[in-house]
Amino acid sequence: MGIFSGIFRSRDAPKDRTAGSAYAFFPGMSSSGKRVNERTAMQTSAVYACVRVISESVASLPLHVYRYNSDGGKEKAIEHPLYRLLHDEPNGEMTAYSFFEVALTHLLLWGNFYAQIIRNGKGEVLGLYPLMPDRMRVDRDENRHLYYEYTLSTDDPQTNKNQTVILQPEDVLHIPGLSFDGLVGYSPIAMAKQSIGLSIAAEEFGSKFYANSAVPSGILEHPGILKDPAKVRDSWMQTFGGSANSNKVAVLEEGMKYTPISINPSEAQFLDTRKFQIVEICRIFRVPPHMIASLEGATYSNIEQQSLEYVQYTLRPWLTRLEQAMFRRLFTEEEKKQYFIRFNVEGLLRGDYQSRMNGYATARQNGWMSANDIRELENLDKIPAELGGDLYLINGNMTKLEDAGLFAGQTGKEESDEESEVLEVEESDTNQRRTFRKNAVS
């Protein structure tokens, strides 16, 4: 093969790479004939909807920095510099919502998220600025140490256009998606380009059918010879072509005959193909179809359970990636012993109002939640401690099995003692009456 080996390599085969993951999958032309990349994929409604619902779900969750207490509990470390940076404003240009929305969009489309870490002279983090994944290259130097090479563009500061910048690992917050070695993630779009390409082709077919149909298109036959066939064709298309002219009645003269040749969309299973591709794309991103308005198979009894599974099996893996990557790169070794980061997903797991109230009642009666614990989850003001807001209460009619007869025995003994006292009093009164009568007779 020699010089032709690179030309005839299968377009779907992975390409060897010396840095990062051993293989990389690239977007490009799919078998449907449609080019698939991160930008064309986002023009497909199902891909756009899946990326949007996941990125917005993660971005809307509050992120807190916590400190371990000496008693084994935890509390919010509001005074830590990273708390405001991660909870409110990662940099001077973005809110925390926008930052994490961008992070998940990059992960879902390119399989990687990169952000430059800006530090002061003390090594403290001052800001996090997202970087475009398609302009980042991960490589190793002669000592096999990782480094990041970023290509600047016209969107970057005017002083560094069309140049490359070398960044050290400690200056880059890198969150990889699914990969073979955990260094560089794969693009989900590239991995699933055949499915997405088929969806793009189905959408384009539907659009062209309504744009070009003569309801239906076919062949115009004339028994004689036409001097200007193009004029007849153009007149026909002008009168009957396009969705605006559908269902018009055609009047043919001079023995002309119209023969339809197009395939009916239902015969081509056009609608079924489009429905299946929606489910196929949901499978790629692990999004329940009902969350992107595909309600086939969804019922009132299972839709709430699907929403809970969405939090557990779709969001939680992404949240764990974010938490662990930020913990590893943003905290010092000493801070890692005292602090940690968590997204608060309680709001997504609460369920409906009645279910929440039943759960709170159980927690309250069994002593593992106080009134203020419950009110905090419901975003209500706390009850003052002197009014019992922090009390943990339990029902008094529950006891250990081995103590089941203890109180009954004590109760029986107390009743017996009381009866004895009553009898002694009555006997004493009787003796006193007898003595009184005897003295009276004397």
Side-chain angles (χ1 to χ4, degrees), residues 250-280:
V251 178
L252 303 179
E253 300 177 330
E254 300 179 358
M256 292 183 64
K257 184 174 66 172
Y258 177 76
T259 305
I261 61 171
S262 64
I263 301 176
N264 189 287
S266 61
E267 296 176 358
Q269 296 183 335
F270 167 68
L271 294 179
D272 290 341
T273 299
R274 293 212 61 189
K275 291 178 181 178
F276 178 77
Q277 288 312 114
I278 291 176
V279 177
E280 187 82 350

Side-chain angles (χ1 to χ4, degrees), residues 172-199:
V172 178
L173 173 62
H174 179 200
I175 304 174
L178 180 67
S179 67
F180 288 156
D181 58 10
L183 292 179
V184 179
Y186 302 136
S187 167
I189 302 301
M191 296 285 283
K193 69 178 180 181
Q194 302 299 346
S195 297
I196 297 174
L198 179 57
S199 180

Side-chain angles (χ1 to χ4, degrees), residues 282-342:
C282 286
R283 184 182 296 119
I284 297 169
F285 295 102
R286 202 187 295 170
V287 173
H290 78 270
M291 299 197 72
I292 62 169
S294 179
L295 298 178
E296 290 191 2
T299 64
Y300 180 80
S301 59
N302 70 6
I303 199 166
E304 183 177 356
Q305 185 61 36
Q306 290 186 54
S307 298
L308 295 177
E309 291 178 352
Y310 165 71
V311 177
Q312 296 173 355
Y313 303 119
T314 303
L315 294 186
R316 188 170 63 179
W318 290 116
L319 298 178
T320 302
R321 288 181 188 273
L322 293 171
E323 292 168 353
Q324 293 185 357
M326 290 186 292
F327 176 79
R328 174 177 175 268
R329 186 60 68 198
L330 301 182
F331 287 104
T332 65
E333 293 302 321
E334 287 299 319
E335 288 178 330
K336 291 177 182 178
K337 301 176 183 178
Q338 306 177 46
Y339 300 95
F340 65 97
I341 302 173
R342 285 292 182 273

